[in-house]
Amino acid sequence: MEIKKLLQEMTTEEKAAFLSGKNVWQTRDFKRLGIPSIFCSDGPHGIRKQAGAGDHLGLNASLPATCFPTAATIANSWDEELGEELGAALGEEASVQDVNVLLGPGLNIKRSPLCGRNFEYFSEDPYLSGKMAASYIRGIQSQGVYACPKHFAVNSQELRRMAMDSVLDERTLREIYLTGFEIAVKEGHPGSIMSSYNEVNGVYANENKHLLQDILRKEWGFDGIVITDWGGSNDHVQGVAAGSNLEMPAPGLDSAREILQALKEKKLTMEELDSCVEDLLKAVMTLSAKAKNKKTSFSKEEHHELAKKAAEQSAVLLKNIDNILPLAPGTKVAVIGDFAVEPRYQGAGSSMVNPTKLETMEQVMRNYDLEVVGICRGYQRSGEEDAVMKKEALDLAANAEVVIYCFGLDELSESEGLDRPHMRIPQNQIELLKAIVQVNENVTGILSAGAAVEMPWHNCCKAILHGYLYGQAGAGAMMNILTGKVNPSGHLNETYPLSYEDTPAFRYFPSAQRISQYRESIYIGYRYFATGKVKVQYPFGYGLSYTTFEYSNIKATEKGVEFTLTNTGKYDGAEVAQLYVGLPNAIVFRPEKELKGFKKVFLKSGESRQIFIPFDDKTFRYWNVKTNRWETEMGTYHIMIGSNVEDIRLEAELSLEGTTKEYPYNPAKLPYYYTGIIQQISDQEFEELLGRPIPSGKWSGDLDRNDAICQMYYAKSRLARLIYKCLTYLKKKSEEKGKPDLNILFIYNMPFRGIAKMTNGAVSREMVDGMVMAVNGHLFRGLKKIIGGFFANIRANKMYEEKLKNE
């Protein structure tokens, strides 16, 4: 049936109900019209379809699926072809499991190393993020499944993520936080996109017309559906008016009644409703048709090998003193570390995958020509000291030629719903490392972590191989690199600072109260470190190889840059050539250099190749806040080719006339933004950049439905404060166990309104208002409203369901 005809045959009640989920993972179906349900599932690095009844909090186990390396890992490959191959495998597994919409990839910018969800995101750089996301999307959608890139937009912290306002200037929004999404949309053409929990400049992302209408649909030409993050709908009517198509997971029919009431009160037009319904109908009918041709199985072994290949190409060799790697055949090795026995291979949260199989270093060691003198855990994963384990490790280390030390961040450090308190690896792991080097100086560290860490201990290791969170086949991948079967070719997707205090958002992260001020502006990651000449541990784009590469013969034209790349070493290998662009003495403040292109090139030993990296519409642009459009500043641009942001091998110049007639800034009023020294921006200077006063993020004294449950320490009700203390106690106890309780974390950070959005219609907005009333000290009035709302909600739901049945 044609979509237009189907739309005409739907009643207004059906249309209103259609825009919210039927249950945790499915859309509503209407049998009389032949409209089926479609199924959504988490899984940016592996499918997480639950085996029992669906629940967003993950109480029920998920079906087995391939656990590929996380996005933060794959971004180190700088390989779009690999991204597309992984996307196709994810799409295939989704299709086999009857999943229509795969909720990923995640491509939020790594504003701070402390964001607990950084392991799910590609990079601190929007260009690299966008290119990798687009490749995933193309792969996923080649299998008849929609990708759903997330979280749109400016979602950079987990603390109070559903009740937090990201405050930033339009240029920073466009250049840093939206460019990755722009590339993903324009080059990947996703069928859906997920709006984020947070507000952006005072308006919730899911009802933000500037984001969803002006930019996403009108400027970028997005023609898919917008899906809320789970529980991320604030005002459903405003969301529909902004063009958000699907409210998830299952708010019940209270949301549908809100739409009907808004139509009556003319707060929503029938045209706005029909537009959202029509887009969702197209998606549902298209995906249902594609699902008829789906596969019934996939090769678990082939996908496992792909996961291994991905881990091999993404691992970063950070250090290799005296060419200790690759290990010579027959080397006597001691394998030490809890991660060798029980690997850290993925993060925690909604992306957690139940792997089809799982390799460990302990298991795979027997497959290599090495003499293993022993394997032991060495340290407690929980962080506690253990003298017996430590002595066993030191005895093993003393009897080996080389120690392979497996260490890194534990599960508690990297989880959805929880930001890291610091950048350090658990101290007991570092104390053991320092003790090992006293008995054996030949230590090769295998680092497992999904985000940057401080590395004051790096001198204890002769070699450091960073596998990030390498998925289910990562152990074999690490051994293939250690023994030289694979030449490492990963390059860092993010900067590794000397200390957290050196990072640009240090003083502004996380949010204070409800407002997160992005005072660092465009100076994120390497943009800040390179401009401010801040020394780092390892720069953005850094990565070693067992071979060497020479760059020569650069030539820049208006179309792009050409140069020669030669493998001058004795091993075949791949290099990531990176294009950076800068404009010295610019009139509009900007970073010293910005990534504008890259190419991963495999060369045999002694081979040379001419490499061409084209310029595109993003190479020279900046967002002019005065003219409200993309422009180019006139001047002589530096075109730089390097192996990382600090290792520039070739430079050329290119003069451009530019388009700017009206410059956006008065340098005298933005002195620190023009120097790049942005760690202590004053209120006055930030307000000049914003073009408006800084909003107040302080609570007024009364909580409202948009405040998080963790804010009940402000509550006037003693009972509410007691509930808060109990929840805080449970959260602390779960953290002490070393693995976060995701259910507690979700509830802790959830605003009161989320109770109405996450309970399948059992709780209405009226009941939530009663809860808030009780929390604010009006217990009996609040209880009266809750009880009255409960019975009113039951009656209204039954009446609505009868209408839907009788249509």
Side-chain angles (χ1 to χ4, degrees):
M1 183 182 290
E2 289 184 8
I3 299 299
K4 292 283 188 186
K5 188 177 180 186
L6 205 53
L7 184 65
Q8 290 171 359
E9 292 194 8
M10 293 181 77
T11 66
T12 305
E13 286 79 8
E14 286 170 333
K15 291 175 183 177
F18 188 46
L19 299 183
S20 296
K22 176 174 73 171
N23 54 38
V24 177
W25 302 113
Q26 289 179 285
T27 62
R28 285 188 180 273
D29 56 317
F30 298 94
K31 290 181 181 178
R32 80 172 188 91
L33 296 167
I35 300 173
S37 287
I38 58 171
F39 198 102
C40 305
S41 178
D42 283 316
H45 60 265
I47 313 305
R48 192 181 76 97
K49 184 177 181 181
Q50 290 176 295
D55 70 281
H56 180 57
L57 301 184
L59 298 177
N60 290 318
S62 58
L63 297 170
T66 309
C67 182
F68 294 101
T70 67
T73 313
I74 301 301
N76 292 331
S77 76
W78 297 61
D79 189 337
E80 295 171 76
E81 290 183 9
L82 176 63
E84 197 159 338
E85 196 175 353
L86 288 169
L90 288 165
E92 182 182 18
E93 293 195 27
S95 177
V96 167
Q97 293 194 18
D98 296 313
V99 170
N100 306 104
V101 180
L102 183 58
L103 303 174
L107 68 150
N108 292 105
I109 293 298
K110 300 180 185 186
R111 180 193 179 206
S112 167
L114 298 188
C115 175
R117 216 165 174 180
N118 275 353
F119 66 90
E120 278 192 68
Y121 303 144
F122 289 111
S123 178
E124 68 187 31
D125 181 81
Y127 191 88
L128 177 58
S129 296
K131 289 289 185 178
M132 293 306 298
S135 70
Y136 267 65
I137 293 164
R138 289 192 295 269
I140 291 167
Q141 298 194 159
S142 71
Q143 303 299 306
V145 173
Y146 277 180
C148 188
K150 58 187 184 182
H151 309 85
F152 190 67
V154 205
N155 180 210
S156 306
Q157 70 179 57
E158 290 298 287
L159 178 67
R160 294 189 297 272
R161 58 182 178 165
M162 298 172 79
M164 186 272 296
D165 183 11
S166 299
V167 176
L168 72 172
D169 64 289
E170 185 73 11
R171 182 182 175 200
T172 301
L173 173 68
R174 297 281 191 152
E175 292 186 18
I176 303 297
Y177 295 95
L178 295 188
T179 291
F181 283 100
E182 179 185 359
I183 295 169
V185 167
K186 289 182 175 179
E187 298 183 16
H189 305 288
S192 59
I193 196 166
M194 184 187 290
S195 57
S196 58
Y197 285 129
N198 52 286
E199 292 174 286
V200 180
N201 289 325
V203 182
Y204 279 98
N206 189 63
E207 55 203 52
N208 194 312
K209 287 187 176 181
H210 183 51
L211 285 177
L212 301 187
Q213 292 285 357
D214 298 342
I215 298 173
L216 179 63
R217 295 192 187 274
K218 293 176 184 175
E219 288 187 27
W220 299 350
F222 176 75
D223 60 358
I225 57 170
V226 175
I227 304 175
T228 72
D229 202 343
W230 266 231
S233 174
N234 168 50
D235 186 320
H236 186 45
V237 171
Q238 290 298 315
V240 171
S244 177
N245 306 90
L246 180 59
E247 181 187 44
M248 291 297 286
L253 292 165
D254 192 34
S255 285
R257 294 196 297 271
E258 288 177 15
I259 288 179
L260 298 181
Q261 187 63 31
L263 289 171
K264 282 182 185 178
E265 297 175 358
K266 301 193 183 305
K267 294 178 180 177
L268 184 74
T269 67
M270 187 58 74
E271 289 75 20
E272 289 170 328
L273 176 60
D274 281 352
S275 177
C276 273
V277 171
E278 184 174 356
D279 286 342
L280 185 55
L281 276 174
K282 286 178 187 174
V284 167
M285 302 311 285
T286 297
L287 288 169
S288 298
K290 288 177 181 290
K292 292 174 183 176
N293 300 317
K294 79 179 198 72
K295 293 181 181 178
T296 56
S297 65
F298 67 91
S299 172
K300 292 181 180 179
E301 196 54 44
E302 286 181 12
H303 284 199
H304 183 78
E305 289 305 309
L306 175 58
K308 182 173 294 186
K309 170 185 161 184
E312 290 169 351
Q313 294 188 17
S314 303
V316 184
L317 183 61
L318 296 175
K319 188 175 182 180
N320 194 18
I321 301 298
D322 299 332
N323 291 321
I324 191 173
L325 297 180
L327 297 172
T331 301
K332 289 174 62 178
V333 298
V335 182
I336 299 172
D338 193 54
F339 292 176
V341 181
E342 188 179 341
R344 273 273 355 261
Y345 62 99
Q346 64 174 327
S350 60
S351 67
M352 187 173 285
V353 180
N354 179 14
T356 56
K357 62 190 289 190
L358 178 60
E359 293 182 2
T360 70
M361 296 284 280
E362 183 180 39
Q363 293 169 351
V364 302
M365 289 297 295
R366 68 175 75 96
N367 301 325
Y368 297 87
D369 185 8
L370 298 171
E371 184 183 340
V372 181
V373 300
I375 299 173
C376 71
R377 291 182 181 261
Y379 57 81
Q380 292 274 14
R381 205 182 193 93
S382 61
E384 297 172 9
E385 293 293 335
D386 190 313
V388 174
M389 293 177 75
K390 186 174 183 179
K391 184 180 185 307
E392 181 187 10
L394 295 178
D395 289 345
L396 267 184
N399 290 319
E401 293 175 302
V402 174
V403 174
I404 299 175
Y405 186 55
C406 302
F407 69 128
L409 294 178
D410 57 17
E411 284 78 2
L412 189 62
S413 299
E414 299 183 279
S415 172
E416 178 179 355
L418 190 70
D419 292 318
R420 290 196 285 166
H422 54 73
M423 289 181 65
R424 299 185 297 276
I425 285 173
Q427 189 59 30
N428 67 326
Q429 296 183 35
I430 302 308
E431 291 301 327
L432 178 58
L433 173 61
K434 290 177 177 178
I436 288 172
V437 79
Q438 297 301 314
V439 299
N440 191 330
E441 63 178 8
N442 295 318
V443 178
T444 292
I446 307 297
L447 187 57
S448 297
V453 295
E454 293 174 353
M455 303 174 76
W457 42 261
H458 75 105
N459 286 329
C460 295
C461 299
K462 277 196 173 179
I464 302 172
L465 179 61
H466 196 348
Y468 268 66
L469 298 182
Y470 48 42
Q472 68 179 49
M478 296 306 103
M479 287 307 305
N480 284 345
I481 294 173
L482 291 181
T483 57
K485 289 185 177 182
V486 171
N487 190 348
S489 60
H491 286 243
L492 292 176
N493 70 73
E494 59 193 325
T495 306
Y496 274 56
L498 290 172
S499 69
Y500 174 55
E501 289 76 12
D502 293 334
T503 60
F506 165 63
R507 297 183 184 278
Y508 320 127
F509 182 95
S511 62
Q513 305 281 323
R514 286 195 61 172
I515 300 297
S516 182
Q517 298 182 27
Y518 285 58
R519 294 197 184 201
E520 71 280 0
S521 183
I522 59 175
Y523 294 105
I524 285 297
Y526 72 87
R527 286 168 165 80
Y528 165 70
F529 294 110
T531 306
K533 310 301 181 196
V534 179
K535 189 176 180 182
V536 301
Q537 191 76 61
Y538 294 108
F540 174 80
Y542 177 89
L544 300 177
S545 170
Y546 294 153
T547 191
T548 54
F549 297 93
E550 183 180 280
Y551 293 70
S552 59
N553 304 324
I554 189 171
K555 181 183 178 184
T557 68
E558 291 185 358
K559 292 184 177 180
V561 59
E562 190 175 18
F563 56 95
T564 303
L565 185 63
T566 305
N567 182 341
T568 55
K570 58 183 179 180
Y571 293 91
D572 299 344
E575 170 71 326
V576 177
Q578 300 158 37
L579 164 65
Y580 295 92
V581 173
L583 180 60
N585 303 313
I587 297 172
V588 179
F589 74 82
R590 63 174 65 217
E592 180 184 276
K593 60 188 80 163
E594 297 179 278
L595 182 74
K596 297 296 182 180
F598 59 88
K599 187 161 287 190
K600 189 165 191 176
V601 184
F602 178 84
L603 296 172
K604 290 188 176 296
S605 175
E607 182 183 1
S608 291
R609 192 177 304 171
Q610 286 290 108
I611 308 299
F612 178 72
I613 300 179
F615 298 150
D616 59 23
D617 62 336
K618 298 162 192 69
T619 305
F620 302 105
R621 74 181 190 179
Y622 76 95
W623 183 261
N624 190 325
V625 294
K626 275 281 179 67
T627 60
N628 205 34
R629 61 190 177 94
W630 293 107
E631 297 206 21
T632 303
E633 183 176 341
M634 70 172 294
T636 301
Y637 287 80
H638 279 200
I639 311 299
M640 296 164 272
I641 298 292
S643 184
N644 66 64
V645 72
E646 288 188 2
D647 184 12
I648 300 300
R649 306 286 185 89
L650 301 171
E651 290 192 47
E653 293 184 344
L654 187 67
S655 295
L656 298 177
E657 290 184 7
T659 62
T660 305
K661 293 183 172 59
E662 184 179 7
Y663 286 91
Y665 305 122
N666 179 347
K669 293 184 178 181
L670 298 170
Y672 288 101
Y673 287 114
Y674 270 85
T675 63
I677 303 171
I678 42 75
Q679 278 205 333
Q680 295 194 56
I681 296 292
S682 68
D683 289 357
Q684 183 180 2
E685 189 166 349
F686 187 47
E687 288 185 341
E688 177 68 23
L689 184 74
L690 283 176
R692 63 186 186 279
I694 301 168
S696 171
K698 293 182 180 179
W699 278 272
S700 62
D702 281 337
L703 299 175
D704 63 36
R705 61 167 66 147
N706 288 322
D707 287 316
I709 290 171
C710 64
Q711 304 312 136
M712 284 200 298
Y713 60 76
Y714 284 102
K716 294 175 181 175
S717 161
R718 289 183 180 179
L719 177 61
R721 292 199 299 272
L722 178 62
I723 293 171
Y724 163 76
K725 287 179 181 178
C726 291
L727 189 60
T728 303
Y729 173 79
L730 291 172
K731 176 175 174 285
K732 183 179 179 182
K733 294 302 288 184
S734 78
E735 290 171 4
E736 287 174 356
K737 293 177 183 177
K739 292 187 179 182
D741 187 317
L742 301 176
N743 308 314
I744 292 173
L745 287 177
F746 193 88
I747 294 167
Y748 186 81
N749 287 301
M750 184 172 68
F752 292 100
R753 71 167 192 275
I755 301 170
K757 300 298 183 181
M758 301 286 288
T759 49
N760 204 18
V763 177
S764 67
R765 296 260 282 201
E766 181 185 2
M767 294 167 67
V768 167
D769 289 340
M771 294 176 194
V772 172
M773 193 177 288
V775 164
N776 284 323
H778 308 290
L779 178 62
F780 294 108
R781 284 168 52 195
L783 286 173
K784 183 179 178 182
K785 196 173 185 69
I786 293 169
I787 295 167
F790 174 76
F791 290 107
N793 188 47
I794 289 176
R795 289 193 299 271
N797 283 343
K798 283 184 178 178
M799 289 174 60
Y800 207 124
E801 286 165 0
E802 285 300 317
K803 275 190 176 182
L804 293 178
K805 284 180 186 176
N806 295 331
E807 293 300 343

